[in-house]
Amino acid sequence: MIKSLPIPILGFAAYSGTGKTTLLEALLPKLTDAGLRIGMLKHAHHNFDVDKEGKDSYRLRKAGASQMLISSRNRFALMTETPESESEFDYLLSRFDTEKLDIILVEGCKNIAFPKIELHRVEVGKPWLYPNDNNIIAIATDEVVPDTSLPQMSINDLEAIAKFVVDYARASKQPSAAKTESAYCDTLSPAFLSVTQGQEKILSLVDTVTETQTCPVEQSYGRVLASDVQSPVNVPQYTNSAMDGYAIRGDDLDRAQYHVVAEVLAGHAYPHALEKGQAVKIMTGAPTPEFADTVVMREQATEIGDNVTFNSASIKRGQNVRQAGEDLPLGANVFNQGQRIASAEMGMIASLGFAECSVFRKLKVAVFSTGDEVQAPGSKQQENTIYDSNRFTIMGLLEKLGCDIIDFGILEDNEALMIDALEKAAEQADVVITSGGVSVGDADYIKLALDKLGQIDFWRINMRPGRPLAFGHISQKPFFGLPGNPVAVMVSFINFVEPALRKMQGEHNWTPLKVNAMASENLRSRQGRTEFSRGIYELDHSGQLTVRTTGKQGSGILRSMSEANCLIEISPSVDTVKVGESVTIIPLQGRI
Ligand code: AMP
Ligand code: MG
């Protein structure tokens, strides 16, 4: 968002009653004196109106103008109606003409992530925001706050506040893209990435397999086409009837009755040209005889002996006839390389007469679990252990993507054995996936082994669940070290592994389906990270798509993934989604 804003932005956050507007009113002259050109953004209550009843602009708006721009010698104003929902913060920012401004100041918008000064007065009796909001970069107050390293100013010292704003504007002039990007990130840790950064990095580092195979159509479900498919025939091959009925000549429509000369079933043909005054009884899909370019449906016909009469109000020349090549002309491109084959594609390919298709070879994926406490299912539980679930979840996800799975079981906690096993896996498979032991500060053996193998980065992704992620290459084969927590494993797989595997399988530019739904409960998140809650979406009685969470969101509660039919994605700039607000959901059907 603020990534694309070429000038600095600074907010003033406070509870109502603190006197934000009064302070800003007194502050602005000092800022303009210092040479700053100021843009202001303020959030108002929903029935606010800038217009006055009875004014021309008001009347034109009420008459139906959804955007009303009114201009005079000294100013212009654009009023835009947004009856559906309030405009997004990023969009509002994009409305400013930043060429003519040095800084945008924001009053309000407490729960959106961007740098702010917190204003605080003791007499208002409200709690501090800064301990829970790392977007607060300074505080202006009428008391002294001992437990913070944030710059402090007196709320009554306008000169000091003005100096802070001017210094801030100068220091952050023309911020580079990279610098603002890290507004979401822990700048102390270069390994901190946003979800998108992680995805892009991984996608740039994996390649599509090169080998292709010929595959019988009946075995092609889930495979990815390695070449384009062109139609070698006209579909339909011949002009035919779209109805059960009677075929007649289009230049012979006005007769009282027609002589029925034959009955044509699908798979057969009437070998003569149709003459005027004649009709053939014809079935759906049967070829229309020469000149018989029009079909009247059976329900509109009465047969008396050898003759037929029609009781339809009007017959249009060419009706109820499918032309040869109408669906697909010979030579037309039907599918492109990179298309994943599902049921409809199997049928389409067969309908063109192909018994086989060219596909990319299957991916081989090696899977491990790690951790001293992890025990394989199928035997009595030992003390201090948990049964391995991650390996099985991952196997299910891989199955869904049509991968061949090589199960390496649970890795023994021994560095040399781990290095050996990881190298062996990379030799046999195209991709290696482990879970557990990749948290920063974790002393698991897997991490020591990966460190030795080199080429592995340990990232912290600004997301929950699924913060730790290791990615790199072992003997040129992509390696994913997923977190240990069972929900985090699935959420990380969905966000990082699946797009990469799809690319390796040959699929082009795959992106997951995302839609908006209305929150039917308040959803909490934390600014600065992407929150993936497990959600259940459904249509409510009025047909509105709504979503709620599955309940407790602990990243060890695998049951929540089983109950969910979607992930609710709350972007880093938002910390609370309130009941009735729109939120992005990622449906999971067909993916897990
Ligand atoms: P770690 O990232 O290794 O600290 O693991 C985080 C949590 O996930 C711990 O509670 C582990 O016990 C748990 N965990 C690790 N591996 C597995 C697994 N294969 N199946 C289920 N839980 C696991
Ligand atoms: Mg562990």
Side-chain angles (χ1 to χ4, degrees), residues 368-371 373-374 386-391 435-439 442 444 468 482-486:
F368 294 94
S369 287
T370 71
E373 77 282 25
V374 181
I386 51 165
Y387 283 124
D388 183 3
S389 61
N390 292 344
R391 198 158 37 103
S435 67
V438 294
S439 297
D442 211 327
D444 285 43
L482 302 181
N485 274 312

Side-chain angles (χ1 to χ4, degrees), residues 17 25 53 222 229-230 287 346 381 438 488 499 591:
E25 192 184 10
E53 199 168 344
V229 174
Q230 268 133 17
M346 289 173 73
Q381 190 156 33
V438 294
R591 293 183 65 188

Side-chain angles (χ1 to χ4, degrees), residues 424-443:
K424 199 171 283 160
E427 239 165 66
Q428 295 178 20
D430 300 302
V431 182
V432 180
I433 302 178
T434 67
S435 67
V438 294
S439 297
V440 179
D442 211 327

Side-chain angles (χ1 to χ4, degrees), residues 169-413:
R170 301 235 160 98
S172 37
K173 206 169 180 183
Q174 310 263 313
S176 71
K179 192 173 162 206
T180 36
E181 186 93 46
S182 66
Y184 287 155
C185 306
D186 177 352
T187 39
L188 298 173
S189 164
F192 236 115
L193 298 178
S194 71
V195 173
T196 318
Q197 286 171 326
Q199 285 167 338
E200 281 169 0
K201 227 167 177 160
I202 291 171
L203 282 176
S204 73
L205 293 170
V206 302
D207 297 310
T208 299
V209 295
T210 46
E211 303 90 329
T212 63
Q213 297 169 333
T214 301
C215 176
V217 177
E218 60 271 30
Q219 289 164 26
S220 69
Y221 189 94
R223 305 296 295 269
V224 178
L225 281 173
S227 56
D228 295 349
V229 174
Q230 268 133 17
S231 179
V233 290
N234 270 318
V235 180
Q237 184 196 359
Y238 48 86
T239 302
N240 65 82
S241 176
M243 293 278 178
D244 289 348
Y246 296 85
I248 54 177
R249 289 174 63 125
D251 58 359
D252 185 30
L253 297 180
D254 300 320
R255 238 168 251 279
Q257 65 173 35
Y258 297 80
H259 183 221
V260 181
V261 294
E263 182 171 355
V264 194
L265 304 178
H268 300 268
Y270 178 67
H272 311 291
L274 200 71
E275 287 171 19
K276 287 194 173 174
Q278 294 183 336
V280 293
K281 190 170 183 180
I282 195 163
M283 299 302 142
T284 306
T288 46
E290 193 181 351
F291 301 133
D293 58 4
T294 303
V295 170
V296 182
M297 61 201 280
R298 189 156 58 193
E299 291 79 350
Q300 295 170 344
T302 314
E303 219 175 306
I304 308 151
D306 281 353
N307 293 323
V308 64
T309 60
F310 301 127
N311 54 9
S312 118
S314 73
I315 299 170
K316 278 216 299 284
R317 184 171 194 165
Q319 71 179 30
N320 301 330
V321 170
R322 293 190 287 229
Q323 300 298 323
E326 181 179 292
D327 295 347
L328 270 180
L330 185 140
N333 207 46
V334 185
F335 295 122
N336 290 323
Q337 185 210 62
Q339 165 83 46
R340 192 176 288 269
I341 301 170
S343 319
E345 289 74 26
M346 289 173 73
M348 280 290 292
I349 293 167
S351 78
L352 302 175
F354 296 116
E356 300 174 325
C357 49
S358 167
V359 296
F360 290 106
R361 76 160 168 82
K362 282 192 174 191
L363 281 187
K364 290 195 284 283
V365 183
V367 190
F368 294 94
S369 287
T370 71
D372 251 352
E373 77 282 25
V374 181
Q375 186 191 336
S379 57
K380 186 168 176 299
Q381 190 156 33
Q382 284 148 32
E383 259 174 55
N384 308 317
T385 68
I386 51 165
Y387 283 124
D388 183 3
S389 61
N390 292 344
R391 198 158 37 103
F392 301 91
T393 311
I394 294 170
M395 288 197 275
L397 290 161
L398 291 171
E399 181 84 43
K400 198 77 204 167
L401 286 166
C403 298
D404 284 335
I405 298 161
I406 313 175
D407 181 4
F408 274 79
I410 301 167
L411 278 195
E412 205 176 308
D413 265 332

Side-chain angles (χ1 to χ4, degrees), residues 463-480:
M463 66 188 274
R464 191 178 76 169
R467 188 163 90 140
L469 179 70
F471 176 77
H473 287 82
I474 302 174
S475 319
Q476 274 105 57
K477 305 290 179 61
F479 166 84
F480 292 88

